[in-house]
Amino acid sequence: MVYLTALLIWFTITFYHSCNCEQEKSNHTINYPTEYHLRAEEINLVTGIVKPFEVWYSEKLDRYRSDYFGGSCKEYYVSKAKKPYGILYTTHPIATMDLKNEIVCNKVKLKGSMENLLPDTENLEPNGETEYDGRKIQIWYGETTVLGIVGGRVEETLWTYRLADGKDVPIRYESKKSKSWNGHIFKHTITNYYNFNSTVLLEDLTLSDDLDCTFDAKFGKNLKEDLQILHPDIPSHVNLGYTSYLQHHKKKYIESEHDFRKDIFSHNWRHIREHNLKNLSYKMAINEFSDRTDEELKYLTGTRAPHEKVEGTHPFPYTLEQVDALVEELPKELDLRLEGFIRPIKSQGHCGSCWAFSSTAAVEGAIAKSLGGKSFDLSEQSLVDCAWGYGNEGCNGGMLDTAFEYIAKNGIPTSEDYGTYEELDDYCELENVSSVHEIVGFTRVTPRSPNSLKVALNKYGPVAVAIHVNMNMKQYSSGIYYDPECQGQDINHGVTIIGYGVRDDQEYWIVRNSWGTDWGEGGYILMAADIDNCSILDYPYYAIV
Ligand SMILES: *[C@@H]1O[C@H](CO)[C@@H](O)[C@H](O)[C@H]1NC(C)=O
Ligand SMILES: *[C@@H]1O[C@H](CO)[C@@H](O)[C@H](O)[C@H]1NC(C)=O
Ligand SMILES: *[C@@H]1O[C@H](CO)[C@@H](O)[C@H](O)[C@H]1NC(C)=O
Ligand SMILES: *[C@@H]1O[C@H](CO)[C@@H](O)[C@H](O)[C@H]1NC(C)=O
Ligand SMILES: CC(=O)N[C@H]1CO[C@H](CO)[C@@H](O)[C@@H]1O
């Protein structure tokens, strides 16, 4: 210990004696220029999104400007002399259905002094030097933990070169956010900076006169309107949109989780906006799922492809030839909701019980059809609690064939009798119910045969199907859903087909989901019916009563 202290004292003295201390100190901190114009691009290695931007910054003028995506979106910051705030002007094209891009300008007050536009240097330490393009490059590195995310870690690396006046110009910045315990990287960006210029002109920092900029103080009242006015490429708008989103959906996160949520939200917002501008057959919308990863949303799904009683208890009674003849007699459109066979939309909540909801809806419909429209609200919870012996696992998922097999053997009580849906695995309390509704068996409709499905819907009632669901479908809002990315993927969800129709020569299935009425068209989705989109025709089952 004495030895160590002595060593430390010797080291400190030697250190102080041998250095030009001003010089040494400045080598250990990053000193950005106070005047700069830079071009840059941020590459998100997780999402693949490349975001080009350009910045002008002047401490002399107390102003900055950033342009995004070649200048379609711009931000101008102008400080107010002697006032503790500045004004941030943003201009961007407004998203209209007909693709006419009208430029709008908004302004907001920003408290405090002007912020630098270059990476935050607070956590960075010198980490060696390298050579690039005949220049000496300083490397800076920092590692911090992300509070609120178990094992969350941020690694930052910055590469700069030093000008003759001692200022450090960035050329590359890398930020990697990961969960160290599983190595999962949830954000990884590289930003390249180039074309540094230390001359910044007032005219570059001045907004065009013919823009009519208004103060929008009313953000946060109506999410849908806010997202129309704001733009996902402008960082300050992302903040406003995200705040409005949290308010609208009554979401609360701990401080350190906001970055992560905001990233997912803005990514989805941008993706949805671009999708909707393409005027494809369906629209998407920001909803309660839009700040979650696809992985986190596993609870929305939970149906596996069958592997046991695949064909059902009774074979489908028609051959493909018979079906083709029968289909001639069928109506061109069918909606079993209009017959009174379909109960109101339900929500499975945070529980992977879609398999119970889709099979129960098919049973409810078959019973209502047999009783001429008298319907009962049957208990999904009884399946979640009691169908484990059949290969189902409550909220952890299940299969359609074994759900029907269970109902055929045990019957299904009403929700009123069994108890309301709980969104969790509970004890099976079937012995307490006074009576159950019974089915004779179930049938797998000939797979990949749209005509067979139409015959089944007309003759037997709703058909439960297993499908693949992706993030686009989770944010579906209206129209006929067709997504090439949905093809050839694993089954993960159970829904119920309750009819079919034609719009603009495109045939579709009317599909009932179990994610509440806020999602899709009042809880329903129209899915392209051509052949086998999202594997919708691989495992279709109806109940026989
Ligand atoms: C500090 O940086 C200057 C300029 O790059 C260099 O000349 C000097 O050797 C550095 N000092 C140390 C101790 O690294
Ligand atoms: C968008 O699609 C609709 C329906 O297909 C069509 O009527 C409309 O003209 C399209 N608009 C644009 C801008 O392509
Ligand atoms: C730097 O910017 C000024 C003002 O825009 C311009 O006149 C000058 O040519 C630029 N210098 C370089 C090296 O591009
Ligand atoms: C169900 O019946 C058992 C045995 O009779 C009883 O202990 C239990 O409290 C009942 N549960 C409900 C929800 O009524
Ligand atoms: C795999 C498959 O059947 N895809 C079809 C889904 O629907 C689209 C649009 O109607 C068809 O073009 C695909 O062939």
Side-chain angles (χ1 to χ4, degrees), residues 303-499:
T303 295
R304 297 188 291 273
H307 53 75
E308 280 169 28
K309 298 280 176 298
V310 179
E311 298 307 333
T313 54
H314 296 63
F316 189 60
Y318 305 105
T319 63
L320 286 175
E321 291 72 36
Q322 287 169 321
V323 159
D324 288 344
L326 278 168
V327 100
E328 299 297 320
E329 312 297 316
L330 298 180
K332 287 276 169 281
E333 307 211 316
L334 175 74
D335 185 344
L336 295 177
R337 287 173 294 192
L338 306 177
E339 318 280 324
F341 300 166
I342 307 298
R343 306 283 312 175
I345 285 286
K346 300 175 187 178
S347 174
Q348 68 189 78
H350 280 243
C351 168
S353 54
C354 48
W355 57 277
F357 281 81
S358 53
S359 53
T360 300
V363 172
E364 284 174 347
I367 291 173
K369 186 174 167 65
S370 74
L371 298 177
K374 183 171 163 50
S375 72
F376 297 92
D377 172 12
L378 302 180
S379 169
E380 291 83 7
Q381 188 67 41
S382 72
L383 269 67
V384 171
D385 295 346
C386 311
W388 287 72
Y390 295 75
N392 302 303
E393 295 173 14
C395 286
N396 287 334
M399 293 169 287
L400 296 182
D401 58 329
T402 54
F404 281 110
E405 188 194 7
Y406 165 83
I407 298 171
K409 292 225 172 93
N410 300 277
I412 181 168
T414 61
S415 296
E416 192 181 10
D417 205 354
Y418 187 84
T420 51
Y421 179 66
E422 293 173 344
E423 241 181 271
L424 48 81
D425 303 325
D426 203 346
Y427 293 108
C428 179
E429 293 183 15
L430 217 47
E431 61 283 11
N432 298 32
V433 303
S434 52
S435 67
V436 292
H437 290 270
E438 289 174 344
I439 61 171
V440 173
F442 66 105
T443 294
R444 183 193 193 188
V445 181
T446 309
R448 298 180 182 227
S449 163
N451 285 346
S452 297
L453 193 67
K454 285 184 187 171
V455 169
L457 287 165
N458 280 280
K459 291 205 177 283
Y460 304 98
V463 174
V465 292
I467 60 171
H468 173 77
V469 162
N470 61 16
M471 200 60 202
N472 277 4
M473 203 190 290
K474 287 169 189 168
Q475 299 179 104
Y476 162 87
S477 73
S478 65
I480 300 173
Y481 182 81
Y482 166 65
D483 182 358
E485 301 285 311
C486 197
Q487 316 309 332
Q489 307 285 332
D490 287 346
I491 296 289
N492 61 7
H493 193 43
V495 289
T496 317
I497 302 183
I498 58 114

Side-chain angles (χ1 to χ4, degrees), residues 283-299:
K283 299 276 183 225
M284 293 198 280
I286 287 281
N287 62 22
E288 61 177 306
F289 312 135
S290 303
D291 65 345
R292 300 287 150 111
T293 63
D294 207 7
E295 184 73 17
E296 285 179 301
L297 291 171
K298 276 228 166 93
Y299 66 81

Side-chain angles (χ1 to χ4, degrees), residues 9-169:
I9 290 167
W10 171 82
F11 183 78
T12 312
I13 291 167
T14 323
F15 186 82
Y16 274 105
H17 273 279
S18 67
C19 88
N20 167 349
C21 297
E22 263 317 297
Q23 181 80 66
E24 184 63 38
K25 199 163 155 249
S26 77
N27 284 8
H28 282 81
T29 48
I30 300 164
N31 195 3
Y32 286 139
T34 56
E35 310 290 309
Y36 57 82
H37 173 202
L38 279 165
R39 289 177 203 278
E41 66 190 6
E42 182 195 86
I43 304 156
N44 187 323
L45 299 180
V46 176
T47 62
I49 291 175
V50 178
K51 196 165 119 182
F53 61 99
E54 189 170 355
V55 291
W56 293 255
Y57 178 92
S58 169
E59 272 181 25
K60 241 188 300 181
L61 300 167
D62 226 353
R63 288 170 179 235
Y64 70 67
R65 165 178 161 197
S66 345
D67 285 11
Y68 302 93
F69 292 92
S72 62
C73 300
K74 299 174 200 271
E75 270 182 318
Y76 289 84
Y77 174 90
V78 177
S79 78
K80 285 287 169 193
K82 304 206 189 82
K83 295 252 168 65
Y85 64 81
I87 308 283
L88 186 70
Y89 299 88
T90 56
T91 72
H92 62 88
I94 202 157
T96 54
M97 292 298 186
D98 55 9
L99 285 172
K100 271 190 196 125
N101 284 327
E102 190 190 334
I103 299 289
V104 294
C105 179
N106 302 111
K107 56 181 178 180
V108 288
K109 268 190 203 177
L110 287 191
K111 283 199 190 123
S113 50
M114 185 164 76
E115 270 181 45
N116 204 322
L117 303 170
L118 300 174
D120 194 356
T121 61
E122 197 188 351
N123 301 312
L124 299 178
E125 298 282 345
N127 192 36
E129 288 182 340
T130 182
E131 217 29 61
Y132 178 71
D133 237 2
R135 261 198 197 118
K136 194 153 121 194
I137 305 292
Q138 280 81 41
I139 306 170
W140 310 85
Y141 178 80
E143 196 178 321
T144 40
T145 54
V146 189
L147 295 170
I149 296 170
V150 183
R153 214 159 65 105
V154 191
E155 284 174 84
E156 293 171 286
T157 315
L158 177 69
W159 290 263
T160 62
Y161 62 87
R162 188 153 286 176
L163 299 172
D165 63 1
K167 302 289 189 200
D168 298 302
V169 178

Side-chain angles (χ1 to χ4, degrees), residues 230-282:
L230 300 170
H231 197 289
D233 291 342
I234 301 177
S236 61
H237 284 202
V238 170
N239 289 339
L240 290 168
Y242 176 68
T243 307
S244 177
Y245 175 76
L246 294 185
Q247 272 171 22
H248 180 86
H249 288 288
K250 299 186 175 61
K251 286 177 181 250
K252 287 205 168 70
Y253 295 114
I254 53 166
E255 198 52 39
S256 51
E257 198 179 346
H258 283 305
D259 255 6
F260 178 55
R261 296 293 159 208
K262 197 159 59 178
D263 272 355
I264 303 169
F265 165 78
S266 63
H267 170 68
N268 281 321
W269 179 13
R270 181 153 199 270
H271 176 67
I272 289 169
R273 197 176 181 278
E274 280 173 2
H275 170 90
N276 289 348
L277 280 171
K278 282 186 203 146
N279 204 20
L280 300 177
S281 62
Y282 73 101

Side-chain angles (χ1 to χ4, degrees), residues 482 487 506-507 528-534:
Y482 166 65
Q487 316 309 332
Q506 170 71 61
E507 283 196 288
D530 296 45
I531 319 173
D532 195 23
N533 277 296
C534 307

